[in-house]
Every structure is written in C-alpha cells, then in structure tokens.
Amino acid sequence: MKKHFISALLMLWCLCSNATMVTNPMLWADVPDPDVIRVGDYYYMVTTTMHLMPGAPVMRSTDLAHWETVSYLFDRLTDSPKYDMNEGTVYGRGQWATSLKYHNGMFYALFAPNDNPGGDTYIYKTPDPTQGWTLHSRLKHFHDASLFFDDDDRVYVFSGTGRLQELNKDLTGLKPGGLDATVVRNDDEDNGLLEGSRVIKHNGKYYLLMISWPRGGKRRQLCYRADNIAGPYEKKKILEDNFAGFPYVGQGTIVDGADGNWYGIIFQDRGGVGRVLTLSPCRWIDGWPMLGDSDGKVPVVMPAVPTKVKDNGVRKVSLVSSDGFDSDKLGLHWQWNHNPVDNAWSLTERKGWLRLKTSRVVNNLYAAPNTISQRMEGPKCSAAVTLDITDMKDGDRAGFAAFNGHSGIVTIGRDGKNTWIAMTSAVVDLDNRTKAITKVTEEELERVTGITSQTVFLRIDADFNLHKDLATFYYSTDGEHWTEIGKPYKMQFDYRRLFMGTRFAIFNYATKKAGGYVDVDDFSYRCDEKDYGHQETEYIMKNTTAAVDNVPGNDFPRLDSNRRAWFRLRAPEAQRVQVDICGKKYDMKRDAQGMWTGCTDPLVVGFHYYFLVVDGVSMVDPATDTFFGCCRQSGGIEVPEGDEGNYYRPQRGVAKGQVRSVQYYSESTGRWRRAMVYTPAEYETKTKKRYPVLYLQHGMGEDETGWSKQGMMQNIMDNRIAAGTCEPMIVVMESGDVEAPFVPRRGKDVNEERSHYGESFYKALLNDLIPMIESTFRCRTDRDSRAMAGLSWGGHQTFHTVLPNLDKFAYIGTFSGALFGVDVKTCFNGVFADADKFNSQIHYFFMGCGSEENFGTGGMVDNLKKLGINVVYYESPGTHHEWLTWRRCFNEFVPHLFKNKKK
C-alpha cells in the first residue's frame, strides 16, 4: 500500500527527541490533574480525559520528561446512557482527577466521575500497569480525591476542600467509626477555589497539596503540613508563577526521584491546547516542599531526571503519534469521543486502513459517534490524514477537525453525486444538567465543489505560541500540493463546554441514512521543538557558571549547582548530536536555529574527558581547551571540588614555577622527542643552586602534557614549596611511548604483549633523557637526587625502570600502578627478597590508589610489608581511576622526596 507523507515544509520540523534536558512545559499537551508516583526506576502518571474512551490513561516514564501511555483504567463506562451519547452526553464530565498509589505490590487508582447518575467512585487495581486494570470496588462520590495508605496500613481518602475520611482495609467502603473530619478549610486569604488534593508522607509528616484561587487573586499551589494525619495543619504557598506569560501554574503533585531529589509536576492552563504539564525541582526548605528554581519560578529549562533504566531499543510511542493503521489493534494514542459503537469501525476489513462506518443519523459533529482523536501539542504541530471516500453515501460527512467546544472543521460532504470540501467553525451549547446538545452554531467559511478524486488528503497546522492558538486547514487531492481552505481558526479552552484541550479528530457521520463508510490511512504527525531562544539561554546562563577549561570567549560548557555539565554546539545540518562523557552518551536538543543544547547527569568532582558526537562522528568540542587523552586529542571539563581542592589550584601570592617544552634527540629510539620540564620559581633567581629531579610519568593513552594540564602538578608543586612542605625540585614528564592504543600482534599472548607496551621508553630515559636533563638544567646528579613515579601504566614503567636500576634512583612512587600479576617474592630478580638491602637503597617507597579502584594496590602493599619492605600506602577517598586520585597521590608523595633523612 502506498504511504503518503506531509509536505517538505513539515519534514523540516524536528521530532521531539529523547534529549537529556527538559524545556518547560514538560508536556505541552492536554494532561490535566496529574498524579505521579515512582515504583522502582519507573514513574507512573494518570491524567484526566473525561468523556474520551478508553479513559484514564496511565503513562510511564524513566526520567519524568518522556512519557508513553501503557494502559487505560477502563475501555468504557456504562453507568449512564449518556456515555453512549443517548439522553444527553458527558462532555466535560466522566473521569476526573484520578489518584494513583502503590501499596504492598499492587497499584491502585481511584476516581469519581463528575456526573449523576454514575458519579460513584471507582477503585481499579493491577500488579502491573502495562498489563491492564481490574475493577476492585465502587464507593460513594469523592470530589478531586487522593487515596492514601499510611505506614500502619490504614487507608484514607482526602477530597473536596480538606475532607478526610477513612476506608476499610479492603477498600470497599468507609470504615465504621473511622476517621471523618474536615482538616483544611478556606480562610480569609484563600477564600475561593480550594481543591485538587494530592497527599504524600515525608520524614514522618503529612503533606496535602491543593490548588488555591482566591477571589480576585492569583492561582497558586498550596501545601498543608501536619505531624498527625488529622491535623492540625499549617499552610504555606509553595508556587505562584505565570510561567512564560501564560496563566498561573497550579494543581499537581510532587514525587521522589530515583536520583534522590524531589520534583514537582504541576499543570498550567494554556488556552486552546489545554492544560499542560510543567516539571520543577522540589527543594525541601525548613521541611516545606518548595517548587521551582532558586527564585521560586518554574524553570525554562532543566536537566532531565537521571535514569538507571537502559534503553532496550524498543521504540517508545509518544502521547501523540503518527499511525499507518497497520496493526489489527488500535494504538493507545487514540481515544474515541464517548463510548464507541464497536461494529461501526474496523482495522481488519481492509488491512492497513481504519474503517469508520456511519451508524446513526445526526446533524452535527458533536452528536456523531465514533469520532476518533489524539491530542494536539505545542508550540506548533501539524497532522495530515488520508481518506478514501469511495463508499460515502448521500448526506455523509467525513473529515478532520480541530475538535473542542469551539471547533474548526474541514469537512468532505457528499450530496447526491456531488462531493465538496468545506471549512467551517462550530460552537456547541450544552444543557448544564444533562450536557445534552441544545445548539450548535456553525459558520461555513469556504467551500470547494466539484471534487472528483476518491482519495482526499486533509491537514491541520496548529500554533499554540503565546497569544496565538490558531488552526490552519488544508486539503489536497495528491498528497503533495496543499491548498489552504477557509481562514485560521482561533481555538479556545472552555470549561463550560468540553473542558479539555483541542484535539485532532477524524470523523464520519450520516445526516440522511446510515451505512456509508470511509477508510482512513496514514495519520502523519509532526511537532515543533519548544524554543524559547534568548529566554532559554538567559535562564541557563543565570543558573550555571562557565567551566574553567573553556576557550576564551566561549560561554559553554557550563556547570550548575548539581554538578551537571551543559554543552552547546551550533550544527544546523546535523540530525543528531550527543555528548559522550564518563562512559555515557547524552542526546542534545536542537532549536530552530540549529543550536544544540544538552546536559548530563550529576558528575563527580574532578577532571573528565568528553567528546561531541555529530551524526555518529566523534569530535572535540571547539569551545573547550584540548587535552591529550584516550589516545587522541579530547575535550575536557573540570568539575570543581570545594576548598579542599585548593592544593592544585593557583593561589595568589604564591611564586609560580615554569613548565617548558624541551625537544631532544634520542639515539635509543632514533627520533626527536619532547619532554615537559617543571622548574620551581626560585630556579630563575638562585642561579648557583642545583636541584634534585623527579621523573614523572602519565598513563596509557596520554602524553607528556597530561601531568601539567590534567594533573595541574605545577600548582601542587608551587603551593607545597611556598608552604615549606616540599623541597624545590625539577620535574620531568615525557611521553613514555604510550600515546597510541595497545594492540597486540596477531597470534601472540596478550599478557606477554602488554608487558612490552612502552618498553622503548626505558632506554630512552636512561640513555638519552637523563643525560639531556642533567646537561641542560642545574641538577644534582647523584642517585639520592633522583626519583621516579607514574600513574597507571606510568607506574608500571616506574617499576620496570627503577627496580632494575637501583643504582640510579632512590625514590619510587606508583599511583594506581598497572602492576598486574607481579609476584613480589620473585619479580625483578628477587629485588624485594632482601628487605634490609632494598630499604637501605630506597629512601621512600609510595603506592597509592583510589578507594573505588580495583587495581590490587592494597593487596600488593600487604604482600610487600609481609616481606619487610618499607612501603607507604595511601588511598584517595571516594575516587576511581581518574586524575583526582592522581593529584591527591602526587600531593601526598612529593613532601617526602629528597629529605636528608631516610623514610
């Protein structure tokens, strides 16, 4: 079957991506009355869909930003014929404000339809929301209720304006003699609407969240707090914000994140699109859950909540999604207007098409059964649908609508043998009690007659930016060339009518005789990325600081107070950009100008290599200084410690030494080589003094610049010397011939091959580098004035250089040394076998590592001590195989070098 797609203009719009940052509103779609809980690593949310079927969508997320509908509480409601659009309707009624809880391995959902009859409360339950729900019980009506299980297994319902009632343990009714009290009331300040209960317990206290809309005041989110569930409750305003210039945010809940932080999910009225969701940090201040950023406002942009759930490669279905109707089961992104007439639709009668049959004669869209719809999304979205109208009958009306109490409609009509397309507006009036349709006011804005094609394509573009709410309508007979019809329609949200956001709706109804049908194919959907432009940039700049390693003139990368790193790259032609850091890749988000922005999970303090990955190609961020690591030039970012890191930072008033680049020719390797050489500040003034030398090596995949750039050794030396805790010395750093990746020769033993990695350096050091240093710099040349140390593979090289040459060195240091499989009893011709001799030759022997490493350093130290070797062990608390470990090791090591007495 041929598939048709939206115009090239729409193809330029970006699909909403699984980025690692959230631009509010988190869901720019109609998702009112949210309740959100976390169970394990997943978040679950339920929302209100009133008269739509199936109803009460349950959604799941791993990061509170990207949601997928996984089930509905029910397929249909049957308490009243009005759910079938008989004897009235349930427009704006039906399922409201569901409460979602998890208790003793079971999920529970409680809601009360806002209609009568049929207003009794439902409780549904399931052990797994992805597998559907079963009805557990029916109770009396609770308005805007919150179910609550206490720690002692007593069960309560908060409802209305502060009403608290206790249920029996099996949740089938009120508990006889149980708690029944009004614990919160309106007061002089909050004297208007007060509802939308959501209850949590935290650190032994009860928290009741409610929306307040004081008469003549601003909508706001309140929190009531008590030590006892029955009160007394004290009150605090926790959020008041007309985010982005739209009406004030209010009504929702808070949830504990898998990352240990708390978050607020609160909705905001946004006109035609409906009530959208915002995501905010929840900061516990003096025992109150204060929502928003440090200014108490909904953040324009914030990091997505870190997730531990690995992507299984299965495509997640967004709340609004394209659909080719290739399955024999209707997707969860679709909902019917009221209960559907089941024998009037099919996905199997014509494979790959949705067949909509007329089953009832009506005179307007609001009375038509089997209208099927999806949400619209902001800031802009567009959907197109293909209709095969071959089997429409005289008087049939099929089409595509921006459906709400105020609707814009593009209709295909068939009257006799004539087929036409028209764009109309329609406004429904409803009886306040029965919600029966009393009047539909329609205005036809344009009609095109003489339609001969039996396949018609319809499209609606929607713009929900501030002060817009416009729907524009198009038709086509070939799916390629589109013609606008009518004029842009102003969409509206009206609680007196449908009480929901505008939806993309596909319809087919009869005005004369039932029996016709249309086949629907290829609902194609696109949404525009949220783009606040300079506002987003200003917000990020205000709440972050530039990284210290940025190239001058670049504001990014940046770090926020939670140690998340923020990155930007302008790449307008790129399709996907990621940040690759600390073993994880984070998707970045593109704005309309081609600027990509992304952020990470909270990072540990210290130095981190990173790369940008553009359409699969790894590259260095042009905004940061480059560092040789990972066997290549890399980007780098320093996540700063507090004052405890001052030892490796330059300090005012401390004389600065120099790190210079020195080239020399090595006869041993037959090539020019380079060393970085640190000289202390006094070297330039004390011209007759000679200095001891430390030969300091980096690890595999790094080069001679590593210690001075990533390791900041010069600052450590300067600060130690200035404090009088370290002898002034020269420090020499060479490449070590380990810049390239280790690649064993084919057919050779890997361990044997690895033992030879970088061994060409040993002769270069002994025969070329040391003589060059001692002839070029004012050095002491006796063995007591030479030391060698190295990190990781540099520690391996230190052992292989010093231990066979104890006549040349008197000090040894290894930092996370790569010393695998070393038998201390026999290695290096039994150098440790005679402990007294070894201890007399080596004045200080240091071995250090990070507490989170598993390099076997501690075990090797234990074995050496058993042999009587004087070795000092240091463990860097909380660090891994990383530069922060090695800075700390270096800082611990150098004070013990070149002292007059032996250690």
Side-chain angles (χ1 to χ4, degrees):
M1 171 175 36
K2 183 178 179 182
K3 294 291 183 183
H4 303 275
F5 297 93
I6 302 182
S7 67
L9 173 64
L10 294 177
M11 293 299 289
L12 293 175
W13 289 3
C14 294
L15 287 170
C16 299
S17 64
N18 187 29
T20 54
M21 52 181 285
V22 180
T23 301
N24 272 311
M26 171 257 288
L27 287 178
W28 198 331
D30 192 40
V31 192
D33 308 327
D35 201 4
V36 182
I37 61 173
R38 179 177 64 85
V39 179
D41 294 326
Y42 286 99
Y43 303 90
Y44 296 88
M45 176 168 66
V46 64
T47 183
T48 295
T49 54
M50 299 184 186
H51 52 271
L52 299 178
M53 303 292 166
V58 178
M59 308 168 195
R60 190 174 72 172
S61 174
T62 60
D63 61 3
L64 286 177
H66 305 95
W67 294 89
E68 179 183 25
T69 301
V70 295
S71 63
Y72 289 88
L73 293 186
F74 54 86
D75 290 328
R76 59 177 62 225
L77 294 178
T78 58
D79 284 340
S80 166
K82 292 185 290 184
Y83 286 104
D84 297 320
M85 304 180 80
N86 292 319
E87 303 176 20
T89 74
V90 289
Y91 280 125
R93 291 186 174 173
Q95 171 260 340
W96 272 32
T98 301
S99 174
L100 185 63
K101 295 296 180 184
Y102 182 77
H103 181 67
N104 290 342
M106 189 69 68
F107 292 83
Y108 294 91
L110 177 152
F111 72 91
N114 187 35
D115 32 83
N116 186 23
D120 291 346
T121 295
Y122 290 78
I123 295 182
Y124 281 84
K125 68 179 182 179
T126 182
D128 182 356
T130 67
Q131 301 302 311
W133 297 74
T134 58
L135 179 62
H136 176 73
S137 63
R138 299 294 302 274
L139 308 175
K140 67 180 288 287
H141 182 87
F142 297 108
H143 175 70
D144 267 15
S146 182
L147 183 64
F148 179 71
F149 294 90
D150 208 345
D151 300 335
D152 58 4
D153 287 333
R154 295 175 71 178
V155 191
Y156 303 89
V157 174
F158 288 79
S159 64
T161 302
R163 181 77 177 273
L164 171 62
Q165 294 169 282
E166 187 173 359
L167 300 183
N168 57 30
K169 286 193 174 182
D170 60 7
L171 280 65
T172 57
L174 293 176
K175 179 180 178 180
L179 182 60
D180 187 346
T182 299
V183 296
V184 169
R185 300 180 186 273
N186 294 89
D187 55 27
D188 291 340
E189 181 183 24
D190 291 289
N191 53 15
L193 178 70
L194 187 61
E195 61 180 8
S197 301
R198 293 291 181 249
V199 181
I200 64 108
K201 191 174 185 179
H202 178 60
N203 288 344
K205 291 184 181 290
Y206 299 87
Y207 293 87
L208 169 61
L209 276 68
M210 301 186 78
I211 179 184
S212 171
W213 204 333
R215 289 190 290 271
K218 300 171 183 177
R219 180 188 183 109
R220 59 204 191 143
Q221 188 69 50
L222 298 181
C223 179
Y224 294 84
R225 182 181 72 179
D227 294 320
N228 185 289
I229 195 168
Y233 282 81
E234 53 185 332
K235 180 185 74 173
K236 192 174 186 66
K237 177 181 70 179
I238 59 173
L239 181 66
E240 183 178 283
D241 184 19
N242 62 333
F243 172 64
F246 290 89
Y248 279 77
V249 179
Q251 194 165 336
T253 190
I254 60 176
V255 64
D256 59 319
D259 62 342
N261 295 313
W262 283 71
Y263 299 89
I265 300 92
I266 311 292
F267 80 67
Q268 178 184 40
D269 289 349
R270 285 221 172 181
V273 76
R275 292 171 286 177
V276 307
L277 290 190
T278 66
L279 178 66
S280 295
C282 175
R283 299 165 296 121
W284 289 95
I285 300 176
D286 297 328
W288 291 100
M290 305 305 295
L291 299 180
D293 58 19
S294 58
D295 295 324
K297 303 296 183 182
V298 174
V300 174
V301 62
M302 64 177 284
V305 179
T307 176
K308 298 178 182 178
V309 180
K310 294 184 178 179
D311 189 348
N312 60 9
V314 177
R315 189 178 75 90
K316 305 297 188 296
V317 180
S318 301
L319 298 190
V320 188
S321 181
S322 297
D323 198 337
F325 302 108
D326 295 315
S327 172
D328 59 2
K329 185 177 181 181
L330 197 62
L332 293 177
H333 41 287
W334 292 107
Q335 288 177 283
W336 301 100
N337 180 18
H338 290 66
N339 288 335
V341 178
D342 287 337
N343 62 5
W345 69 277
S346 174
L347 285 166
T348 58
E349 291 182 16
R350 184 180 180 185
K351 189 66 175 176
W353 298 74
L354 168 65
R355 179 160 292 177
L356 295 178
K357 307 174 187 180
T358 62
S359 61
R360 187 182 303 175
V361 175
V362 297
N363 62 5
N364 64 78
L365 175 58
Y366 293 98
N370 284 25
T371 295
I372 191 168
S373 68
Q374 292 196 52
R375 296 174 179 86
M376 290 182 168
E377 293 181 298
K380 292 181 178 180
C381 63
S382 180
V385 66
T386 306
L387 297 178
D388 183 339
I389 62 173
T390 304
D391 292 287
M392 287 181 68
K393 304 300 183 183
D394 179 25
D396 285 358
R397 305 290 185 258
F400 201 28
F403 186 59
N404 209 332
H406 299 72
S407 296
I409 310 167
V410 57
T411 301
I412 305 166
R414 180 159 290 172
D415 293 322
K417 296 182 180 180
N418 298 317
T419 303
W420 46 265
I421 300 175
M423 186 265 157
T424 60
S425 66
V427 180
V428 66
D429 290 333
L430 303 168
D431 179 80
N432 286 334
R433 184 179 64 85
T434 66
K435 290 296 178 177
I437 299 168
T438 59
K439 181 182 178 182
V440 176
T441 303
E442 296 181 289
E443 180 184 3
E444 186 175 287
L445 300 174
E446 184 178 352
R447 178 180 291 215
V448 178
T449 60
I451 301 298
T452 59
S453 174
Q454 297 305 303
T455 303
V456 177
F457 306 85
L458 305 176
R459 190 180 102 207
I460 301 174
D461 294 351
D463 184 349
F464 294 108
N465 283 297
L466 187 63
H467 306 311
K468 295 287 188 179
D469 284 357
L470 295 177
T472 308
F473 301 84
Y474 303 84
Y475 73 95
S476 172
T477 56
D478 61 8
E480 300 292 336
H481 303 91
W482 294 91
T483 301
E484 183 177 343
I485 186 170
K487 65 180 182 180
Y489 182 75
K490 181 74 171 180
M491 295 174 282
Q492 298 183 45
F493 178 89
D494 192 337
Y495 72 92
R496 300 167 301 174
R497 292 182 165 88
L498 270 61
F499 207 168
M500 64 171 46
T502 308
R503 296 175 70 90
F504 289 116
I506 307 169
F507 63 88
N508 183 35
Y509 63 90
T511 65
K512 295 182 179 179
K513 184 178 180 181
Y517 63 85
V518 296
D519 288 331
V520 184
D521 185 28
D522 230 15
F523 178 86
S524 301
Y525 177 75
R526 295 289 185 271
C527 69
D528 204 353
E529 286 283 1
K530 291 168 280 190
D531 181 14
Y532 287 99
H534 70 280
Q535 293 182 13
E536 184 173 303
T537 299
E538 288 175 0
Y539 189 90
I540 296 173
M541 296 290 287
K542 177 182 177 182
N543 291 279
T544 59
T545 56
V548 296
D549 298 307
N550 291 0
V551 172
N554 286 272
D555 292 324
F556 286 80
R558 303 184 71 82
L559 292 158
D560 65 23
S561 59
N562 292 313
R563 302 196 309 272
R564 295 181 175 99
W566 295 71
F567 300 90
R568 268 199 172 167
L569 179 71
R570 181 170 177 79
E573 302 300 320
Q575 300 300 306
R576 187 182 190 187
V577 179
Q578 297 171 293
V579 179
D580 184 354
I581 185 170
C582 297
K584 185 174 181 179
K585 291 181 180 179
Y586 299 87
D587 285 316
M588 299 174 72
K589 181 177 73 74
R590 183 189 188 278
D591 69 13
Q593 288 71 47
M595 184 69 77
W596 295 79
T597 306
C599 66
T600 68
D601 297 336
L603 302 173
V604 298
V605 295
F607 177 85
H608 303 281
Y609 297 114
Y610 77 92
F611 304 93
L612 299 181
V613 183
V614 181
D615 292 338
V617 179
S618 181
M619 59 171 281
V620 178
D621 185 352
T624 186
D625 196 0
T626 56
F627 304 84
F628 195 90
C630 309
C631 303
R632 56 176 286 192
Q633 291 294 338
S634 308
I637 187 168
E638 181 78 23
V639 180
E641 290 186 282
D643 291 344
E644 68 272 19
N646 286 342
Y647 71 92
Y648 57 77
R649 298 181 182 122
Q651 302 295 321
R652 290 184 179 181
V654 171
K656 306 303 297 175
Q658 295 183 15
V659 178
R660 63 194 78 186
S661 174
V662 180
Q663 279 190 309
Y664 71 101
Y665 188 80
S666 167
E667 295 289 350
S668 300
T669 59
R671 63 181 178 87
W672 287 95
R673 304 174 68 98
R674 183 176 75 155
M676 307 303 293
V677 180
Y678 166 84
T679 54
E682 67 175 36
Y683 185 87
E684 307 303 322
T685 57
K686 297 184 177 181
T687 57
K688 295 183 179 181
K689 182 176 179 179
R690 292 188 173 272
Y691 295 86
V693 181
L694 166 63
Y695 293 87
L696 182 64
Q697 289 306 115
H698 54 84
M700 185 184 296
E702 292 159 337
D703 73 0
E704 62 273 17
T705 63
W707 268 109
S708 57
K709 294 191 72 174
Q710 295 95 296
M712 304 187 194
M713 56 76 51
Q714 66 276 26
N715 297 331
I716 298 173
M717 290 300 304
D718 291 340
N719 294 334
R720 280 290 191 186
I721 293 170
T725 57
C726 173
E727 292 293 318
M729 68 187 76
I730 294 170
V731 182
V732 179
M733 298 152 281
E734 222 263 11
S735 76
D737 294 341
V738 293
E739 309 101 309
F742 165 66
V743 180
R745 291 174 294 175
R746 182 176 298 179
K748 300 293 185 180
D749 179 77
V750 173
N751 292 326
E752 177 64 21
E753 288 288 288
R754 185 182 289 111
S755 69
H756 298 296
Y757 179 66
E759 68 179 0
S760 57
F761 173 62
Y762 306 150
K763 288 184 178 180
L765 171 67
L766 296 170
N767 300 336
D768 304 310
L769 179 60
I770 291 176
M772 183 276 292
I773 292 296
E774 293 181 351
S775 63
T776 305
F777 295 88
R778 298 193 308 276
C779 304
R780 301 207 300 256
T781 59
D782 58 296
R783 67 174 297 275
D784 289 338
S785 300
R786 289 195 204 102
M788 187 171 180
L791 68 89
S792 193
W793 202 257
H796 175 99
Q797 291 182 312
T798 296
F799 260 43
H800 281 260
T801 301
V802 174
L803 296 181
N805 297 281
L806 293 178
D807 59 324
K808 296 180 174 61
F809 298 90
Y811 301 86
I812 306 176
T814 69
F815 317 148
S816 310
L819 302 166
F820 311 122
V822 175
D823 184 347
V824 297
K825 295 180 180 179
T826 61
C827 65
F828 302 102
N829 296 318
V831 69
F832 298 122
D834 188 340
D836 291 339
K837 180 180 179 182
F838 180 86
N839 293 336
S840 67
Q841 291 175 297
I842 295 299
H843 304 330
Y844 188 71
F845 185 10
F846 175 95
M847 297 184 74
C849 64
S851 64
E852 307 307 304
E853 293 188 80
N854 189 25
F855 264 45
T857 304
M860 188 173 182
V861 168
D862 290 341
N863 290 334
L864 287 168
K865 287 184 175 180
K866 289 177 182 178
L867 294 177
I869 301 299
N870 293 335
V871 56
V872 174
Y873 176 63
Y874 168 76
E875 190 172 271
S876 168
T879 59
H880 295 259
H881 200 70
E882 57 179 297
W883 276 105
L884 188 55
T885 295
W886 307 325
R887 292 174 190 167
R888 290 175 178 175
C889 286
F890 183 75
N891 187 52
E892 293 292 325
F893 176 62
V894 291
H896 301 279
L897 300 182
F898 312 122
K899 301 293 185 179
N900 291 330
K901 63 179 181 178
K902 298 178 181 179
K903 300 293 183 183

